[in-house]
Amino acid sequence: MAVEASITKLTTSDHASVVSMNLFVALLCACIIIGHLLEEYRWINESITALVIGLCTGIFILFTTGGKSSHLLVFSEDLFFIYLLPPIIFNAGFQVKKKHFFRNFMTIMLFGAVGTLISFGIISLGAIHFFPKLDIGSLKIGDYLAIGAIFSATDSVCTLQVLNQDETPLLYSLVFGEGVVNDATSVVLLKAIQNFDLSHIDLITGFHLIGNFFYLFTASTLLGVLAGLLSAFIIKTLYFGRHSTDREVALMILMAYLSYMLAELFNLSAILTVFFCGIVMSHYTWHNVTESSRVTTKHAFATLSFIAEIFIFLYVGMDALDIEKWRFARQSPGKSAGISSLLLALIMVGRAAFVFPLSFLANLPKKSQSEKIEIKQQVTIWWAGLMRGAVSMALAYNQFTRLGHTKLRENAIMITSTITVILFSTVVFGLMTKPLVRLLLPISKHKGIIASPPGTPKPFMQPLLEDGQESEGNDGTRNAHRPSSLRLLLSLPTRSVHHYWRKFDDAVMRPVFGGRGFVPFVPGSPLEQSVHQWQ
């Protein structure tokens, strides 16, 4: 009888899981359909749509379960970091326009790394000074520093959905690059904080913390580069496409995911690793595969990223109504509202403290006025980076819960405050970003920009626009049809860093790892026919 009872219980549990997954997949489909119908209203992006649908679903589940639960699945930071985040960050690196990313590299690193550290410091100091006065519980110094890292992570996904790459090219590129580096820096900061005993902070501990941060940053980047180069070498040497393009696609996906998991295994920043792996793969590996594999991988990575993003925001919307966490906040609603308001104020002050000074520093070496970040663009960058999203949510769960649950009052209050900040910043700041961009940066006619045909599909995240320069097509050819390219080329120094890198790349890297210009030999292809014709 005991065995039958356990089997019955297991069967019931499996059935409930299947029902939950069916409902969640149906909700994902609903988010995509409704997002498509609302696409013409650019103020409402897919992130906000998924959040609203998640909130409505959570309310419905609350009523049907008698107030016991509000979500279909139990959130785990492992689910986010291991399964949902990798395709998003990898696709960001894979789709990046490398030439323009590295042209603005110093400004992006200033905002993404140095700026995040400044924001981290201000938010942490504000939490240390104000939180004890609110009497929310016994938070330790490590918790205060973790709060600084959690709320320094911007939501670049939501921001880029309300920005337009044709209307604001420089703005779009800076916000995209800063967002990726910012997320990685925040995760590295939290890892560094959690790896040290901060009960007794002294000068030596501070230096160790800074050293560990730079070690994680450098080692994670190198691991991503090495993984990308290894995948390029293997595919170029063995050339799987002569037998099966499926093997090429599978190997690229698995090598990218392997780089992420290796970083997790070695306690590095997996975000940085998989981002730079994506950059290297798009520069070398992608050009070593057949044309069909190129089309497949480009759309496969974009699709996986799109689904993961919708999944995250849908779940955050449902989890926002979790009764267990709000039970503690209900006992002191004034404190919870005060903490959320204080965090929003610290986020705004912390971001302003680095956007404007660092923009001034970034403008100093630039002679051309068109390359400088104007004050209106600085205000827009400041505002667009105020949104907080899935990374902040996952980091908060990682610091203050165990498998999505907590029994400590102060931890529950911090989780509910994080949810409140995410919902408010995503909906309110997200809705106001597009009108602010149109107010400060009116749409201008961009000469020379050739729009895509109406039927041309666009990737979900297509960062770093050409900005009036020559583009690199999918086949590796350069399209120099823009009239401003020649003028821009004449205005730039001929012996730039990019010039020397291109010489080194052509002489050393491409002969070994392939890349643009490498044409795979496919039996039955037009290339083979032309070869036979000339024999």
Side-chain angles (χ1 to χ4, degrees), residues 248-258 281 297 300-301 304:
E248 289 181 322
V249 177
L251 189 63
M252 287 185 68
I253 294 175
L254 292 175
M255 286 292 290
Y257 192 66
L258 179 62
M281 275 194 174
T297 52
F301 294 143
L304 290 174

Side-chain angles (χ1 to χ4, degrees), residues 407-477:
K407 299 296 183 183
L408 298 177
R409 174 176 171 269
E410 57 269 21
N411 287 359
I413 290 177
M414 286 311 307
I415 292 294
T416 54
S417 300
T418 303
I419 293 172
T420 304
V421 169
I422 291 172
L423 290 176
F424 182 87
S425 63
T426 301
V427 176
V428 177
F429 295 158
L431 287 174
M432 295 178 65
T433 299
K434 190 66 177 181
L436 182 69
V437 171
R438 291 184 173 178
L439 176 65
L440 296 178
L441 306 169
I443 301 174
S444 59
K445 300 290 184 180
H446 294 280
K447 297 180 179 180
I449 293 181
I450 299 177
S452 301
T456 303
K458 295 181 180 179
F460 183 63
M461 288 179 64
Q462 184 181 347
L464 302 189
L465 1 145
E466 276 82 10
D467 193 16
Q469 299 182 34
E470 60 187 13
S471 64
E472 186 173 306
N474 289 347
D475 57 354
T477 60

Side-chain angles (χ1 to χ4, degrees), residues 196-211:
F196 281 90
D197 180 16
L198 301 175
S199 55
H200 303 287
I201 296 182
D202 52 20
L203 190 60
I204 296 177
T205 305
F207 279 120
H208 281 191
L209 189 64
I210 296 172

Side-chain angles (χ1 to χ4, degrees), residues 127-128 137-147 193 197-199 201 399-400 410-411:
I128 292 172
S138 57
L139 293 178
K140 301 176 182 178
I141 184 65
D143 294 325
Y144 291 124
L145 295 178
I147 289 170
I193 291 167
D197 180 16
L198 301 175
S199 55
I201 296 182
Q399 177 68 22
F400 295 110
E410 57 269 21
N411 287 359

Side-chain angles (χ1 to χ4, degrees), residues 17 20-21 24 69-80 84 311 315 318-319 322 324-325 397 401-405:
S17 299
S20 298
M21 286 303 301
F24 205 91
S69 177
S70 65
H71 42 68
L72 300 170
L73 304 173
V74 177
F75 183 86
S76 168
E77 62 270 15
D78 291 337
L79 170 68
F80 174 78
L84 299 178
F311 187 104
Y315 189 85
M318 284 191 289
D319 196 60
D322 186 30
E324 180 188 345
K325 303 180 184 70
Y397 272 100
T401 72
R402 294 293 178 270
L403 296 177
H405 299 286

Side-chain angles (χ1 to χ4, degrees), residues 75-350:
F75 183 86
S76 168
E77 62 270 15
D78 291 337
L79 170 68
F80 174 78
F81 279 110
I82 295 179
Y83 299 108
L84 299 178
L85 192 59
I88 297 174
I89 303 299
F90 176 80
N91 185 62
F94 194 76
Q95 299 285 354
V96 73
K97 301 295 181 185
K98 299 172 289 296
K99 185 175 181 179
H100 309 288
F101 176 83
F102 289 106
R103 172 168 294 164
N104 296 316
F105 186 73
M106 292 308 299
T107 305
I108 288 172
M109 291 303 295
L110 271 176
F111 285 166
V114 179
T116 303
L117 291 175
I118 295 173
S119 177
F120 160 75
I122 290 177
I123 295 174
S124 298
L125 290 175
I128 292 172
H129 180 73
F130 292 108
F131 276 30
K133 298 179 180 179
L134 296 174
D135 188 28
I136 63 172
S138 57
L139 293 178
K140 301 176 182 178
I141 184 65
D143 294 325
Y144 291 124
L145 295 178
I147 289 170
I150 290 167
F151 290 99
S152 295
T154 63
D155 182 19
S156 57
V157 173
C158 187
T159 302
L160 293 179
Q161 289 183 34
V162 294
L163 293 178
N164 188 289
Q165 59 178 341
D166 294 326
E167 297 173 6
T168 54
L170 177 63
L171 185 67
Y172 190 95
S173 72
L174 290 178
V175 170
F176 167 77
E178 181 216 341
V180 174
V181 179
N182 171 283
D183 289 346
T185 305
S186 299
V187 175
V188 169
L189 271 174
L190 189 64
K191 283 181 177 290
I193 291 167
Q194 292 175 341
N195 288 340
F196 281 90
D197 180 16
L198 301 175
S199 55
H200 303 287
I201 296 182
D202 52 20
L203 190 60
I204 296 177
T205 305
F207 279 120
H208 281 191
L209 189 64
I210 296 172
N212 188 53
F213 170 79
F214 284 107
Y215 161 74
L216 289 175
F217 212 92
T218 305
S220 303
T221 301
L222 289 177
L223 179 59
V225 171
L226 290 175
L229 291 177
L230 179 62
S231 69
F233 181 77
I234 291 175
I235 289 181
K236 177 178 179 294
T237 304
L238 301 180
Y239 186 47
F240 295 87
R242 67 167 60 92
H243 301 297
S244 170
T245 58
D246 296 339
R247 293 174 185 168
E248 289 181 322
V249 177
L251 189 63
M252 287 185 68
I253 294 175
L254 292 175
M255 286 292 290
Y257 192 66
L258 179 62
S259 72
Y260 187 91
M261 295 310 299
L262 282 174
E264 288 288 333
L265 178 65
F266 297 131
N267 293 318
L268 301 175
S269 171
I271 291 180
L272 268 181
T273 297
V274 78
F275 176 70
F276 279 97
C277 179
I279 290 179
V280 174
M281 275 194 174
S282 68
H283 189 65
Y284 295 110
T285 313
W286 189 74
H287 295 280
N288 295 342
V289 299
T290 58
E291 185 63 31
S292 58
S293 295
R294 294 176 189 176
V295 175
T296 303
T297 52
K298 203 172 186 68
H299 289 284
F301 294 143
T303 303
L304 290 174
S305 173
F306 176 78
I307 294 174
E309 288 159 2
I310 299 300
F311 187 104
I312 290 168
F313 283 103
L314 180 63
Y315 189 85
V316 168
M318 284 191 289
D319 196 60
L321 300 174
D322 186 30
I323 293 299
E324 180 188 345
K325 303 180 184 70
W326 286 102
R327 186 177 294 117
F328 295 98
R330 266 191 321 211
Q331 299 171 3
S332 52
K335 290 181 181 178
S336 181
I339 292 170
S340 301
S341 302
L342 177 61
L343 287 171
L344 283 169
L346 290 174
I347 288 170
M348 297 176 78
V349 172

